[in-house]
Coordinates of all heavy atoms in Angstrom, one line a residue:
F84 N -10.8 13.1 1.8 CA -10.3 13.0 0.5 C -11.4 12.6 -0.5 O -11.9 11.5 -0.4 CB -9.2 12.0 0.4 CG -8.1 12.2 1.4 CD1 -8.0 11.6 2.6 CD2 -7.0 13.1 1.1 CE1 -7.0 11.8 3.5 CE2 -6.0 13.3 2.0 CZ -5.9 12.6 3.2
P85 N -11.9 13.5 -1.4 CA -12.9 13.1 -2.3 C -12.3 12.3 -3.5 O -11.3 12.6 -4.0 CB -13.4 14.4 -2.8 CG -12.3 15.4 -2.6 CD -11.5 14.9 -1.4
F86 N -13.0 11.2 -3.9 CA -12.6 10.4 -5.0 C -13.9 10.2 -5.9 O -14.5 9.2 -5.7 CB -12.0 9.1 -4.6 CG -10.8 9.2 -3.8 CD1 -10.8 9.0 -2.4 CD2 -9.6 9.5 -4.4 CE1 -9.6 9.0 -1.6 CE2 -8.4 9.5 -3.7 CZ -8.4 9.3 -2.3
G87 N -14.2 11.1 -6.7 CA -15.4 11.0 -7.5 C -16.6 10.9 -6.6 O -16.8 11.8 -5.8
G88 N -17.4 9.9 -6.7 CA -18.5 9.7 -5.8 C -18.3 9.1 -4.5 O -19.2 8.8 -3.7
V89 N -17.0 8.9 -4.1 CA -16.6 8.3 -2.9 C -15.7 9.2 -2.1 O -14.9 10.0 -2.7 CB -15.9 6.9 -3.1 CG1 -15.6 6.3 -1.8 CG2 -16.7 6.0 -4.0
G90 N -15.7 9.2 -0.8 CA -14.8 10.0 0.0 C -14.1 9.1 1.0 O -14.6 8.1 1.5
L91 N -12.9 9.5 1.4 CA -12.1 8.8 2.4 C -11.9 9.8 3.6 O -11.4 10.9 3.3 CB -10.7 8.4 1.9 CG -9.8 7.8 2.9 CD1 -10.4 6.5 3.5 CD2 -8.4 7.5 2.3
F92 N -12.4 9.5 4.7 CA -12.4 10.4 5.9 C -11.5 9.7 7.0 O -11.8 8.6 7.3 CB -13.8 10.6 6.4 CG -13.9 11.6 7.5 CD1 -13.7 12.9 7.3 CD2 -14.2 11.2 8.7 CE1 -13.8 13.9 8.3 CE2 -14.3 12.1 9.8 CZ -14.1 13.4 9.5
I93 N -10.5 10.4 7.5 CA -9.6 9.8 8.5 C -9.6 10.8 9.7 O -9.4 12.0 9.5 CB -8.2 9.7 7.9 CG1 -8.2 8.8 6.7 CG2 -7.3 9.1 9.0 CD1 -6.9 8.7 6.0
E94 N -9.9 10.2 10.9 CA -9.8 11.0 12.1 C -9.5 10.2 13.3 O -9.5 9.0 13.2 CB -11.2 11.8 12.3 CG -12.3 10.8 12.8 CD -13.5 11.6 13.2 OE1 -13.4 12.8 13.3 OE2 -14.6 11.0 13.3
E95 N -9.2 10.8 14.4 CA -8.8 10.1 15.6 C -10.2 9.7 16.2 O -11.2 10.3 16.0 CB -8.1 11.1 16.6 CG -6.7 11.4 16.0 CD -6.0 12.3 17.0 OE1 -6.2 12.2 18.2 OE2 -5.1 13.0 16.6
H96 N -10.1 8.7 17.1 CA -11.2 8.2 17.9 C -10.8 8.0 19.3 O -9.8 7.4 19.6 CB -11.8 6.9 17.2 CG -13.1 6.5 17.8 ND1 -13.3 5.9 19.0 CD2 -14.3 6.5 17.2 CE1 -14.5 5.6 19.2 NE2 -15.2 6.0 18.1
S97 N -11.6 8.4 20.2 CA -11.2 8.3 21.7 C -11.1 6.9 22.2 O -10.5 6.6 23.2 CB -12.2 9.1 22.5 OG -13.5 8.6 22.4
M98 N -11.8 5.9 21.5 CA -11.7 4.5 21.9 C -10.6 3.7 21.2 O -10.6 2.5 21.5 CB -13.1 3.9 21.7 CG -14.3 4.6 22.4 SD -14.1 4.6 24.2 CE -14.4 2.8 24.5
V99 N -9.9 4.4 20.4 CA -8.9 3.6 19.7 C -7.5 4.3 19.9 O -7.4 5.5 19.7 CB -9.2 3.6 18.1 CG1 -8.1 2.9 17.4 CG2 -10.5 3.0 17.9
S100 N -6.5 3.5 20.3 CA -5.2 4.1 20.5 C -4.1 3.0 20.4 O -4.5 1.8 20.5 CB -5.1 4.8 21.9 OG -5.2 3.9 22.9
G101 N -2.9 3.4 20.2 CA -1.8 2.5 20.2 C -1.7 1.8 18.8 O -2.5 2.0 17.9
P102 N -0.8 0.8 18.7 CA -0.5 0.2 17.4 C -1.8 -0.7 17.0 O -2.5 -1.2 17.9 CB 0.6 -0.8 17.7 CG 1.3 -0.1 18.9 CD 0.2 0.5 19.7
N103 N -2.0 -0.8 15.8 CA -3.1 -1.7 15.2 C -2.9 -3.1 15.6 O -1.8 -3.7 15.3 CB -3.2 -1.5 13.7 CG -4.4 -2.1 13.1 OD1 -5.1 -2.9 13.7 ND2 -4.6 -1.8 11.8
Q104 N -3.9 -3.7 16.2 CA -3.8 -5.1 16.7 C -4.1 -6.1 15.5 O -3.9 -7.3 15.6 CB -4.7 -5.4 17.9 CG -4.3 -4.6 19.1 CD -2.8 -4.8 19.5 OE1 -2.4 -5.9 19.8 NE2 -2.1 -3.7 19.7
D105 N -4.7 -5.6 14.5 CA -5.2 -6.5 13.4 C -4.9 -5.7 12.1 O -5.9 -5.3 11.4 CB -6.6 -6.9 13.5 CG -7.1 -7.9 12.6 OD1 -6.2 -8.5 11.8 OD2 -8.3 -8.2 12.5
P106 N -3.7 -5.5 11.6 CA -3.5 -4.6 10.5 C -4.0 -5.1 9.2 O -4.2 -4.3 8.2 CB -1.9 -4.5 10.5 CG -1.5 -5.7 11.2 CD -2.5 -6.0 12.2
A107 N -4.2 -6.4 9.0 CA -4.7 -6.9 7.8 C -6.2 -6.8 7.6 O -6.8 -7.1 6.6 CB -4.3 -8.4 7.6
R108 N -6.9 -6.4 8.7 CA -8.4 -6.3 8.6 C -8.8 -5.2 7.6 O -9.8 -5.5 6.8 CB -8.9 -5.9 10.0 CG -10.4 -5.9 10.0 CD -10.9 -5.7 11.5 NE -12.4 -5.8 11.4 CZ -13.1 -5.3 12.4 NH1 -12.5 -4.8 13.5 NH2 -14.4 -5.4 12.3
V109 N -8.2 -4.1 7.6 CA -8.5 -3.0 6.6 C -7.2 -2.6 6.0 O -6.3 -2.2 6.7 CB -9.2 -1.8 7.3 CG1 -9.4 -0.7 6.2 CG2 -10.5 -2.2 7.9
I110 N -7.1 -2.7 4.7 CA -5.9 -2.3 3.9 C -6.2 -1.3 2.9 O -7.2 -1.5 2.1 CB -5.2 -3.6 3.2 CG1 -4.9 -4.7 4.2 CG2 -4.0 -3.1 2.5 CD1 -4.3 -6.0 3.6
I111 N -5.5 -0.2 2.9 CA -5.7 0.8 1.9 C -4.9 0.4 0.7 O -3.7 0.2 0.8 CB -5.3 2.2 2.4 CG1 -6.2 2.6 3.6 CG2 -5.3 3.3 1.3 CD1 -5.8 3.9 4.3
N112 N -5.5 0.4 -0.5 CA -4.9 0.0 -1.7 C -4.7 1.3 -2.6 O -5.7 2.0 -2.8 CB -5.7 -1.0 -2.5 CG -5.7 -2.4 -1.8 OD1 -4.7 -3.0 -1.6 ND2 -6.9 -2.8 -1.3
L113 N -3.5 1.6 -3.0 CA -3.2 2.7 -3.9 C -2.9 2.2 -5.3 O -1.9 1.5 -5.4 CB -2.1 3.6 -3.3 CG -2.4 4.1 -1.9 CD1 -1.1 4.8 -1.3 CD2 -3.6 5.0 -1.8
D114 N -3.7 2.6 -6.2 CA -3.4 2.3 -7.6 C -2.4 3.3 -8.1 O -2.6 4.5 -8.1 CB -4.7 2.4 -8.4 CG -4.6 2.0 -9.9 OD1 -3.5 1.6 -10.3 OD2 -5.6 2.2 -10.6
V115 N -1.2 2.8 -8.5 CA -0.1 3.7 -8.9 C 0.3 3.4 -10.4 O 0.1 2.3 -10.9 CB 1.1 3.6 -8.0 CG1 0.7 4.0 -6.6 CG2 1.7 2.3 -8.0
D116 N 0.9 4.5 -11.0 CA 1.4 4.3 -12.4 C 2.8 3.7 -12.5 O 3.1 3.0 -13.5 CB 1.4 5.7 -13.1 CG 0.0 6.2 -13.3 OD1 -0.9 5.4 -13.5 OD2 -0.1 7.5 -13.3
D117 N 3.6 3.8 -11.4 CA 5.0 3.3 -11.4 C 5.3 2.8 -10.1 O 5.8 3.5 -9.2 CB 5.9 4.4 -11.8 CG 7.3 4.0 -12.1 OD1 7.7 2.8 -11.6 OD2 8.1 4.7 -12.7
C118 N 5.0 1.5 -9.9 CA 5.1 0.9 -8.6 C 6.6 0.9 -8.1 O 6.9 1.1 -7.0 CB 4.7 -0.6 -8.7 SG 4.2 -1.3 -7.1
R119 N 7.5 0.7 -9.1 CA 9.0 0.7 -8.7 C 9.5 2.1 -8.2 O 10.3 2.2 -7.3 CB 9.8 0.2 -9.8 CG 9.6 -1.3 -10.1 CD 9.9 -2.2 -8.9 NE 9.7 -3.6 -9.3 CZ 9.9 -4.6 -8.5 NH1 10.3 -4.4 -7.3 NH2 9.7 -5.8 -8.8
A120 N 8.9 3.1 -8.8 CA 9.3 4.5 -8.3 C 8.8 4.8 -7.0 O 9.5 5.3 -6.1 CB 8.8 5.6 -9.4
I121 N 7.5 4.4 -6.7 CA 6.9 4.5 -5.4 C 7.7 3.6 -4.4 O 8.0 4.0 -3.2 CB 5.5 4.2 -5.4 CG1 4.7 5.1 -6.4 CG2 4.8 4.2 -4.0 CD1 4.7 6.5 -6.1
E122 N 8.1 2.5 -4.8 CA 8.9 1.6 -3.9 C 10.1 2.3 -3.5 O 10.5 2.2 -2.3 CB 9.1 0.3 -4.7 CG 10.1 -0.7 -3.9 CD 10.5 -1.8 -4.8 OE1 10.8 -1.6 -6.0 OE2 10.6 -2.9 -4.3
A123 N 10.8 2.9 -4.3 CA 12.1 3.6 -4.0 C 11.8 4.7 -3.1 O 12.6 4.9 -2.1 CB 12.7 4.2 -5.3
Q124 N 10.7 5.5 -3.3 CA 10.4 6.6 -2.3 C 10.1 6.0 -0.9 O 10.5 6.5 0.1 CB 9.2 7.4 -2.8 CG 9.5 8.2 -4.0 CD 8.2 8.9 -4.5 OE1 7.1 8.5 -4.3 NE2 8.4 10.0 -5.3
I125 N 9.4 4.9 -0.9 CA 9.0 4.3 0.4 C 10.3 3.8 1.1 O 10.4 4.0 2.3 CB 8.0 3.2 0.2 CG1 6.6 3.8 -0.2 CG2 7.8 2.3 1.4 CD1 5.6 2.8 -0.7
E126 N 11.1 3.1 0.3 CA 12.4 2.6 1.0 C 13.3 3.8 1.5 O 13.8 3.7 2.5 CB 13.1 1.8 -0.1 CG 12.5 0.4 -0.2 CD 13.2 -0.5 -1.2 OE1 14.2 -0.1 -1.8 OE2 12.7 -1.6 -1.3
A127 N 13.3 4.9 0.7 CA 14.1 6.0 1.2 C 13.5 6.6 2.5 O 14.3 7.2 3.2 CB 14.1 7.1 0.1
A128 N 12.2 6.5 2.6 CA 11.6 7.0 3.9 C 11.8 6.1 5.1 O 11.5 6.4 6.2 CB 10.1 7.2 3.6
G129 N 12.3 4.9 4.8 CA 12.6 3.9 5.9 C 11.4 3.1 6.3 O 11.4 2.6 7.4
A130 N 10.4 2.9 5.5 CA 9.2 2.2 5.8 C 9.5 0.7 6.0 O 10.5 0.2 5.4 CB 8.1 2.4 4.8
T131 N 8.6 0.0 6.7 CA 8.8 -1.4 6.9 C 7.9 -2.2 5.9 O 6.7 -2.0 5.8 CB 8.3 -1.8 8.3 OG1 9.1 -1.1 9.3 CG2 8.4 -3.3 8.6
W132 N 8.5 -3.0 5.1 CA 7.8 -3.8 4.1 C 7.2 -5.0 4.7 O 7.9 -5.7 5.4 CB 8.7 -4.2 2.9 CG 9.1 -3.1 2.0 CD1 10.2 -2.4 2.0 CD2 8.2 -2.5 1.0 NE1 10.2 -1.5 1.0 CE2 9.0 -1.5 0.4 CE3 7.0 -2.8 0.6 CZ2 8.4 -0.7 -0.7 CZ3 6.5 -2.0 -0.5 CH2 7.2 -1.1 -1.1
V133 N 5.9 -5.2 4.6 CA 5.2 -6.4 5.0 C 5.3 -7.4 3.9 O 5.5 -8.6 4.1 CB 3.8 -6.1 5.4 CG1 3.0 -7.4 5.7 CG2 3.7 -5.1 6.5
R134 N 5.2 -6.9 2.7 CA 5.3 -7.8 1.5 C 6.1 -6.9 0.4 O 5.5 -6.0 -0.1 CB 3.9 -8.1 0.9 CG 4.0 -8.9 -0.4 CD 2.6 -9.1 -0.9 NE 2.6 -9.9 -2.2 CZ 1.5 -10.2 -2.8 NH1 0.4 -9.8 -2.5 NH2 1.7 -10.9 -3.9
P135 N 7.3 -7.2 0.2 CA 8.1 -6.4 -0.8 C 7.4 -6.4 -2.2 O 6.6 -7.4 -2.5 CB 9.4 -7.1 -0.9 CG 9.5 -7.9 0.4 CD 8.1 -8.3 0.7
V136 N 7.6 -5.4 -3.0 CA 7.0 -5.4 -4.3 C 7.4 -6.6 -5.1 O 8.6 -6.9 -5.2 CB 7.4 -4.0 -5.0 CG1 6.9 -4.1 -6.5 CG2 6.9 -2.8 -4.3
E137 N 6.4 -7.2 -5.7 CA 6.6 -8.4 -6.5 C 5.6 -8.5 -7.6 O 4.5 -7.9 -7.5 CB 6.6 -9.7 -5.7 CG 5.3 -9.9 -4.9 CD 5.4 -11.1 -4.0 OE1 6.3 -11.9 -4.0 OE2 4.5 -11.2 -3.1
Q138 N 6.0 -9.3 -8.6 CA 5.1 -9.5 -9.8 C 4.1 -10.5 -9.4 O 4.3 -11.6 -8.9 CB 5.9 -10.0 -11.0 CG 5.1 -10.1 -12.3 CD 4.8 -8.8 -12.9 OE1 5.6 -8.0 -13.1 NE2 3.5 -8.6 -13.2
E139 N 2.8 -10.2 -9.8 CA 1.7 -11.2 -9.7 C 1.1 -11.2 -11.1 O 1.4 -10.4 -12.0 CB 0.7 -10.7 -8.7 CG 1.1 -10.8 -7.3 CD 1.1 -12.3 -6.8 OE1 0.6 -13.2 -7.4 OE2 1.7 -12.5 -5.7
S140 N 0.1 -12.1 -11.3 CA -0.5 -12.2 -12.6 C -1.2 -10.9 -13.1 O -1.3 -10.6 -14.3 CB -1.5 -13.3 -12.7 OG -2.5 -13.1 -11.7
F141 N -1.7 -10.1 -12.1 CA -2.4 -8.9 -12.4 C -1.6 -7.7 -12.5 O -2.0 -6.6 -12.9 CB -3.5 -8.7 -11.4 CG -3.0 -8.6 -10.0 CD1 -2.4 -7.5 -9.5 CD2 -3.1 -9.8 -9.2 CE1 -1.9 -7.4 -8.2 CE2 -2.6 -9.7 -7.9 CZ -2.0 -8.6 -7.4
G142 N -0.3 -7.7 -12.1 CA 0.6 -6.6 -12.1 C 1.6 -6.7 -10.9 O 1.9 -7.7 -10.4
L143 N 2.0 -5.5 -10.5 CA 3.0 -5.4 -9.4 C 2.2 -5.0 -8.1 O 1.3 -4.2 -8.2 CB 4.0 -4.4 -9.6 CG 5.1 -4.7 -10.7 CD1 5.9 -3.4 -11.1 CD2 6.0 -5.8 -10.3
I144 N 2.6 -5.6 -6.9 CA 2.0 -5.2 -5.7 C 3.0 -5.4 -4.6 O 4.0 -6.1 -4.6 CB 0.8 -6.2 -5.4 CG1 0.1 -5.8 -4.1 CG2 1.3 -7.6 -5.3 CD1 -1.2 -6.5 -3.8
G145 N 2.9 -4.4 -3.6 CA 3.7 -4.4 -2.4 C 2.9 -3.9 -1.3 O 2.0 -3.1 -1.5
T146 N 3.2 -4.3 0.0 CA 2.5 -3.9 1.2 C 3.5 -3.3 2.2 O 4.5 -4.0 2.5 CB 1.7 -5.1 1.8 OG1 0.9 -5.7 0.8 CG2 0.9 -4.6 2.9
V147 N 3.2 -2.1 2.7 CA 4.0 -1.5 3.8 C 3.2 -1.3 5.0 O 2.0 -1.2 4.9 CB 4.7 -0.2 3.3 CG1 5.7 -0.4 2.2 CG2 3.7 0.8 2.9
A148 N 3.9 -1.1 6.1 CA 3.2 -0.8 7.4 C 3.5 0.6 7.7 O 4.6 1.1 7.6 CB 3.7 -1.7 8.5
D149 N 2.4 1.4 8.0 CA 2.6 2.8 8.4 C 3.1 2.8 9.8 O 3.3 1.8 10.5 CB 1.3 3.6 8.2 CG 0.3 3.4 9.2 OD1 0.5 2.7 10.2 OD2 -0.8 3.9 9.0
P150 N 3.5 4.0 10.4 CA 4.0 4.0 11.7 C 3.1 3.5 12.9 O 3.6 3.0 13.8 CB 4.3 5.5 12.0 CG 4.5 6.1 10.6 CD 3.5 5.3 9.7
D151 N 1.8 3.4 12.6 CA 0.9 2.8 13.6 C 0.7 1.3 13.3 O -0.1 0.7 14.0 CB -0.4 3.5 13.6 CG -0.3 5.0 14.1 OD1 0.5 5.2 15.0 OD2 -1.0 5.8 13.6
G152 N 1.3 0.8 12.3 CA 1.1 -0.6 12.0 C 0.0 -1.0 11.0 O -0.3 -2.1 10.8
N153 N -0.6 0.0 10.5 CA -1.7 -0.2 9.5 C -1.0 -0.5 8.1 O 0.1 -0.1 7.8 CB -2.5 1.1 9.3 CG -3.2 1.5 10.6 OD1 -4.0 0.8 11.1 ND2 -2.8 2.7 11.0
Y154 N -1.7 -1.4 7.3 CA -1.2 -1.8 6.0 C -1.7 -0.9 4.9 O -2.8 -0.5 4.9 CB -1.6 -3.2 5.7 CG -0.9 -4.3 6.6 CD1 -1.3 -5.6 6.4 CD2 0.0 -4.0 7.5 CE1 -0.7 -6.6 7.2 CE2 0.7 -4.9 8.3 CZ 0.3 -6.2 8.2 OH 0.8 -7.2 8.9
V155 N -0.7 -0.6 4.0 CA -1.0 0.2 2.8 C -0.4 -0.6 1.6 O 0.8 -1.0 1.7 CB -0.5 1.6 2.8 CG1 -0.7 2.3 1.5 CG2 -1.0 2.4 4.0
Q156 N -1.1 -0.9 0.6 CA -0.6 -1.6 -0.6 C -0.5 -0.7 -1.7 O -1.4 0.2 -2.0 CB -1.5 -2.8 -1.0 CG -1.5 -3.9 0.0 CD -2.3 -5.1 -0.4 OE1 -1.8 -6.2 -0.2 NE2 -3.4 -5.0 -1.0
I157 N 0.6 -0.8 -2.5 CA 0.7 -0.1 -3.8 C 0.6 -1.2 -4.9 O 1.1 -2.3 -4.8 CB 2.1 0.7 -3.9 CG1 3.3 -0.3 -3.7 CG2 2.1 1.8 -2.9 CD1 4.6 0.4 -3.9
I158 N -0.2 -0.8 -5.9 CA -0.6 -1.8 -6.9 C -0.4 -1.1 -8.3 O -1.0 0.0 -8.5 CB -2.0 -2.3 -6.8 CG1 -2.2 -3.0 -5.4 CG2 -2.3 -3.3 -7.9 CD1 -3.6 -3.4 -5.1
Q159 N 0.3 -1.7 -9.2 CA 0.4 -1.2 -10.6 C -0.3 -2.3 -11.4 O 0.2 -3.3 -11.8 CB 1.8 -1.0 -11.0 CG 1.9 -0.5 -12.4 CD 3.4 -0.3 -12.9 OE1 4.3 -0.2 -12.1 NE2 3.5 -0.1 -14.2
W160 N -1.6 -2.1 -11.6 CA -2.4 -3.0 -12.4 C -1.9 -3.1 -13.9 O -1.5 -2.1 -14.5 CB -3.9 -2.5 -12.5 CG -4.5 -2.5 -11.1 CD1 -4.7 -1.5 -10.3 CD2 -5.0 -3.7 -10.4 NE1 -5.3 -1.8 -9.1 CE2 -5.5 -3.2 -9.2 CE3 -5.0 -5.0 -10.6 CZ2 -6.0 -4.0 -8.2 CZ3 -5.6 -5.8 -9.7 CH2 -6.1 -5.3 -8.4
G161 N -1.8 -4.3 -14.3 CA -1.4 -4.5 -15.7 C 0.1 -4.5 -16.0 O 0.4 -4.7 -17.2
A162 N 0.9 -4.3 -15.0 CA 2.3 -4.3 -15.2 C 2.7 -5.7 -15.7 O 2.4 -6.7 -15.1 CB 3.1 -3.9 -14.0
E163 N 3.3 -5.8 -16.9 CA 3.8 -7.1 -17.4 C 5.0 -7.5 -16.7 O 5.9 -6.7 -16.3 CB 4.1 -6.9 -18.9 CG 2.8 -6.6 -19.7 CD 1.8 -7.7 -19.8 OE1 2.2 -8.9 -19.7 OE2 0.6 -7.4 -19.8
P164 N 5.3 -8.8 -16.6 CA 6.5 -9.3 -16.0 C 7.7 -8.7 -16.7 O 7.8 -8.6 -17.9 CB 6.5 -10.8 -16.2 CG 5.0 -11.1 -16.3 CD 4.4 -9.9 -17.0
E165 N 8.6 -8.2 -15.9 CA 9.9 -7.6 -16.3 C 9.7 -6.2 -17.0 O 10.7 -5.5 -17.3 CB 10.7 -8.5 -17.3 CG 10.9 -9.9 -16.7 CD 11.7 -9.9 -15.5 OE1 12.7 -9.1 -15.4 OE2 11.4 -10.7 -14.6
S166 N 8.5 -5.7 -17.3 CA 8.3 -4.4 -17.9 C 8.8 -3.3 -17.0 O 9.1 -2.2 -17.5 CB 6.9 -4.2 -18.3 OG 6.1 -4.0 -17.1
H167 N 8.9 -3.5 -15.7 CA 9.3 -2.5 -14.8 C 10.8 -2.4 -14.7 O 11.3 -1.5 -14.0 CB 8.7 -2.7 -13.4 CG 9.0 -4.1 -12.9 ND1 8.3 -5.2 -13.3 CD2 10.0 -4.5 -12.1 CE1 8.8 -6.3 -12.7 NE2 9.8 -5.9 -11.9
K168 N 11.5 -3.3 -15.3 CA 13.0 -3.3 -15.2 C 13.6 -2.5 -16.4 O 13.0 -2.4 -17.5 CB 13.5 -4.7 -15.2 CG 13.1 -5.4 -13.9 CD 13.8 -6.8 -13.8 CE 13.4 -7.4 -12.5 NZ 14.0 -8.7 -12.4
D169 N 14.7 -1.9 -16.2 CA 15.4 -1.2 -17.3 C 15.9 -2.1 -18.3 O 16.3 -3.2 -18.2 CB 16.6 -0.4 -16.7 CG 16.1 0.7 -15.8 OD1 15.1 1.3 -16.1 OD2 16.8 0.9 -14.8

């Protein structure tokens, strides 16, 4: 996955298998425009929340575990408290 001057490369490795034994060691952070909309999609897919989406001083953040136990965070930088509510 190319991202400007940086790339993300994901592949299998013969020395790594099974669930992640240390999921917090490497966390993929996804900067999103609408954290609550992504939250709804993730919940509809039946994902396991490690940290439900919540307001922090910098915006909204939530952490889910993928099927292998790796952590992925969704972050909406700059979301003001309550701005995500109708």
Side-chain angles (χ1 to χ4, degrees):
F84 304 97
F86 297 106
V89 184
L91 174 64
F92 184 72
I93 302 171
E94 73 172 347
E95 294 182 26
H96 191 285
S97 63
M98 300 297 290
V99 178
S100 64
N103 188 347
Q104 298 301 307
D105 189 9
R108 184 171 181 200
V109 175
I110 300 174
I111 295 174
N112 293 296
L113 303 174
D114 182 6
V115 301
D116 292 329
D117 189 342
C118 203
R119 293 296 181 182
I121 301 298
E122 174 188 37
Q124 291 177 335
I125 289 171
E126 288 182 353
T131 301
W132 287 101
V133 175
R134 176 186 184 182
V136 173
E137 60 187 346
Q138 185 73 51
E139 289 287 347
S140 61
F141 55 82
L143 291 168
I144 184 170
T146 308
V147 294
D149 74 6
D151 291 325
N153 302 298
Y154 290 175
V155 177
Q156 291 188 139
I157 55 171
I158 304 171
Q159 183 179 343
W160 297 101
E163 297 291 329
E165 306 299 320
S166 66
H167 54 279
K168 295 186 178 181
D169 295 321

